[in-house]
Amino acid sequence: NLAVGLKFNLEQEGYQVELAKDGREAIEMFAQHPCDLIILDIMLPFYDGFEVAKNVREQDPQIPILMLTARTSSDDRVRGLELGADDYLTKPFHLKELLLRVKGMLKRKAWYQKSSIDTPVIQFGNNKVDFNNLWAKKGRKEFRLTAHEAMVLKYLFERRGNIVSRHELLENVWQIKSDIETRTVDNFIARLRKYFEKDPSRPEYIISIRSAGYMFKPDKTFT
């Protein structure tokens, strides 16, 4: 009933909407019909939202995913975001809030695509990141970033030399107010350090500024 109601309201806003009744159908539908954004409930038959998000991310690292759930545990929120969800909304929610989230996510997607055209590749130290396909390289080791990991890195890089607070990252990368615990940001920073720092416990590039936030440290090797 909730899905049918959301479909109607989204269509009233001018969106074209396809509805999947369970996780298995969602995976099949995504493989056959490309889309611009996914609204994904966690509690689904066959495959839950976490499994669907993981499957989608293996096929498309950039498509925005908004997760819906009745769970309020911060661990569930963090798990969803780490699997590649871009935003997280707890039921019950106001329709206006969901519509604003959808609009913000599509706007952020457009920003990232434009930003990736302006600066498609960066290099620092022995690291290289291609923001178009989300491939990264540290020395000879190659790996793929999630869309959110790439967005956080790009946001910090574009403001290198300046302090960026956790709340700023939440509002400008996640496009939401700071209603998700700021430790979510810390988790993403920890992962970026693990990817790109020689010693994640003594970072050279993504450094912490006590009681203020983070800074991408300027370096003459940046290109």
Side-chain angles (χ1 to χ4, degrees):
N1 291 336
L2 175 62
V4 172
L6 287 179
K7 182 177 187 295
F8 172 80
N9 284 284
L10 287 165
E11 287 175 339
Q12 292 299 302
E13 295 294 315
Y15 299 108
Q16 181 179 342
V17 184
E18 300 293 336
L19 180 62
K21 64 180 181 294
D22 56 54
R24 183 169 57 192
E25 184 177 339
I27 291 173
E28 294 173 353
M29 181 182 294
F30 181 73
Q32 298 171 7
H33 304 289
C35 56
D36 297 306
L37 181 142
I38 295 173
I39 299 177
L40 180 61
D41 204 315
I42 288 181
M43 303 299 290
L44 294 173
F46 297 111
Y47 300 113
D48 66 19
F50 295 127
E51 293 172 294
V52 174
K54 182 179 179 181
N55 182 280
V56 167
R57 278 289 169 256
E58 290 173 352
Q59 300 180 62
D60 187 334
Q62 292 196 34
I63 185 169
I65 299 176
L66 171 61
M67 290 194 110
L68 305 180
T69 182
R71 300 177 179 179
T72 58
S73 167
S74 61
D75 290 337
D76 285 332
R77 298 185 186 190
V78 171
R79 182 184 176 195
L81 292 170
E82 289 184 343
L83 282 173
D86 298 271
D87 203 349
Y88 200 107
L89 202 56
T90 302
K91 297 181 288 188
F93 53 83
H94 294 292
L95 175 64
K96 183 177 180 180
E97 182 180 6
L98 180 135
L99 294 175
L100 286 173
R101 299 278 184 107
V102 167
K103 184 177 181 180
M105 292 169 72
L106 291 172
K107 180 179 178 181
R108 180 172 67 247
K109 180 182 179 182
W111 160 76
Y112 182 81
Q113 290 175 335
K114 180 181 183 302
S115 182
S116 296
I117 292 173
D118 295 339
T119 311
V121 178
I122 63 170
Q123 297 186 57
F124 53 100
N126 68 339
N127 301 300
K128 182 177 180 179
V129 180
D130 187 326
F131 288 109
N132 285 321
N133 57 31
L134 303 185
W135 279 108
K137 188 174 182 180
K138 179 181 180 182
R140 295 182 178 181
K141 181 181 179 182
E142 292 189 359
F143 52 94
R144 201 165 200 170
L145 300 175
T146 67
H148 244 106
E149 289 168 346
M151 287 180 183
V152 171
L153 179 63
K154 192 164 209 3
Y155 192 89
L156 290 171
F157 180 81
E158 290 179 346
R159 290 153 185 80
R160 56 192 178 275
N162 298 308
I163 297 172
V164 177
S165 71
R166 294 172 177 83
H167 295 289
E168 182 180 347
L169 284 169
L170 283 171
E171 293 185 9
N172 293 300
V173 175
W174 275 266
Q175 292 287 324
I176 57 175
K177 298 298 181 181
S178 303
D179 56 349
I180 293 179
E181 291 77 4
T182 54
R183 75 185 182 96
T184 298
V185 175
D186 297 336
N187 288 339
F188 274 84
I189 295 296
R191 285 157 61 186
L192 291 175
R193 285 173 172 166
K194 183 178 179 181
Y195 295 152
F196 299 113
E197 301 284 0
K198 293 180 182 178
D199 181 356
S201 64
R202 301 177 64 182
E204 300 176 37
Y205 303 111
I206 306 174
I207 62 175
S208 298
I209 308 298
R210 189 174 182 179
S211 302
Y214 297 102
M215 177 191 293
F216 206 116
K217 190 175 180 180
D219 187 293
K220 63 182 180 181
T221 64
F222 286 146
T223 57

